[in-house]
Amino acid sequence: EDQVTQSPEALRLQEGESSSLNCSYTVSGLRGLFWYRQDPGKGPEFLFTLYSAGEEKEKERLKATLTKKESFLHITAPKPEDSATYLCAVQVRGAQKLVFGQGTRLTINP
Amino acid sequence: GAVVSQHPSWVICKSGTSVKIECRSLDFQATTMFWYRQFPKQSLMLMATSNEGSKATYEQGVEKDKFLINHASLTLSTLTVTSAHPEDSSFYICSFISGGNHNEQFFGPGTRLTVL
C-alpha cells in the first residue's frame, strides 16, 4: 500500500531558526512528490514538485530535496508569515491522484 | 500558478437538505478534477476523481449516491451533497491537474459545510 508519513506533526521555531521537515514515502513507483502549504481555512497552495532522486528546488526561504525514500523541506531563517501546515503528497506512476501525508504544523514565533 | 475558485466559500444547511458546491478553473481547461474532504486537523482525503464528460470514480468508502459529482465542462465541476447530515460537516476542496508534462495539481480555496 502506498504510504506517506510526515514528521514532526508539529514544530515551533523562533524567527530566524532554520530547520527541516521530513516526508517519508513507500510507493510502488514514484511519478512525483509534491509539497504544499496550507493556511487555516484555505486550500493547499502549491510549492514544489520533485520527480527524481537528487533533485532540489528552491523558493525564497524554502528548499525541497528528494531521495529514493524521503523528501525534506528545509526552511532557512523563517519568518512568522511562514507559519502554516506543510503537506507532502506523492503521485504513483500510472495514476493521477495524490496520496497525502498528515502534514506538519509549523509555527514561527517572532 | 493556475487559479481555481469555489462557491460558496461556506454554507450552513439543515439536516436532510442538499447542498451544491461549484468548482471552476479560471485560466485553464481541466479534463480531470478531484474532490477532497478534510476534517479538522486532518489531512486531505480524496473522495473522487472526475473526468469531463464521463462518470466520476469514487474512492472506497465514499457513497456515490450521496456525493454526486458532475463535470459537465472543462472549467466547471460540481459536488452535490444529498440529504446532508451533521457527520457530513467538513471542509470540501476541489483541485485539477495542469497540462503539459508537469502534472501539477492546483487546489481551490475550499468550502466549509456545516450541517445542523
Side-chain angles (χ1 to χ4, degrees):
Chain A
E1 184 182 346
D2 302 318
Q3 276 193 318
V4 180
T5 303
Q6 291 186 246
S7 62
E9 283 189 20
L11 180 62
R12 284 184 175 272
L13 300 171
Q14 289 298 122
E15 184 173 1
E17 181 184 1
S18 302
S19 189
S20 297
L21 313 183
N22 177 263
C23 172
S24 298
Y25 62 92
T26 305
V27 296
S28 51
L30 182 69
R31 186 176 185 182
L33 185 141
F34 299 76
W35 281 98
Y36 290 88
R37 169 193 169 126
Q38 186 177 28
D39 292 300
K42 297 189 177 180
E45 174 189 344
F46 173 78
L47 293 175
F48 303 109
T49 310
L50 301 167
Y51 292 100
S52 57
E55 190 175 359
E56 298 184 353
K57 287 191 177 174
E58 285 189 66
K59 179 181 179 180
E60 296 180 352
R61 295 178 291 282
L62 299 175
K63 183 167 98 171
T65 62
L66 180 66
T67 72
K68 288 186 177 180
K69 294 184 179 181
E70 58 191 351
S71 177
F72 290 94
L73 184 65
H74 307 277
I75 182 161
T76 302
K79 298 181 178 181
E81 53 262 40
D82 295 322
S83 298
T85 295
Y86 290 85
L87 298 169
C88 170
V90 297
Q91 188 177 49
V92 178
R93 200 170 293 143
Q96 293 179 311
K97 66 181 184 182
L98 296 180
V99 177
F100 278 88
Q102 290 298 104
T104 293
R105 291 192 307 279
L106 177 65
T107 304
I108 308 299
N109 295 316
Chain B
V3 180
V4 182
S5 71
Q6 278 186 243
H7 178 79
S9 56
W10 60 270
V11 57
I12 301 173
C13 69
K14 293 182 179 179
S15 185
T17 60
S18 295
V19 174
K20 180 186 283 188
I21 302 170
E22 288 187 353
C23 175
R24 293 182 184 272
S25 58
L26 300 182
D27 58 356
F28 183 76
Q29 294 185 329
T31 56
T32 303
M33 300 183 82
F34 302 87
W35 285 97
Y36 293 83
R37 182 167 53 183
Q38 187 176 34
F39 293 105
K41 297 192 176 181
Q42 293 188 24
S43 193
L44 281 73
M45 288 176 48
L46 180 65
M47 299 175 66
T49 302
S50 162
N51 289 296
E52 189 261 341
S54 62
K55 291 184 178 180
T57 303
Y58 290 81
E59 294 298 300
Q60 192 173 10
V62 178
E63 300 174 57
K64 63 180 181 181
D65 294 330
K66 181 172 186 60
F67 298 99
L68 302 180
I69 292 173
N70 184 292
H71 191 169
S73 77
L74 294 175
T75 59
L76 174 65
S77 177
T78 61
L79 169 67
T80 302
V81 183
T82 63
S83 187
H85 288 94
E87 56 266 31
D88 298 324
S89 298
S90 187
F91 193 52
Y92 292 87
I93 312 173
C94 68
S95 73
F96 70 87
I97 291 181
S98 71
N101 297 323
H102 296 289
N103 206 35
E104 293 163 355
Q105 200 169 128
F106 295 93
F107 289 81
T111 296
R112 172 73 58 193
L113 170 64
T114 303
V115 185
L116 302 177

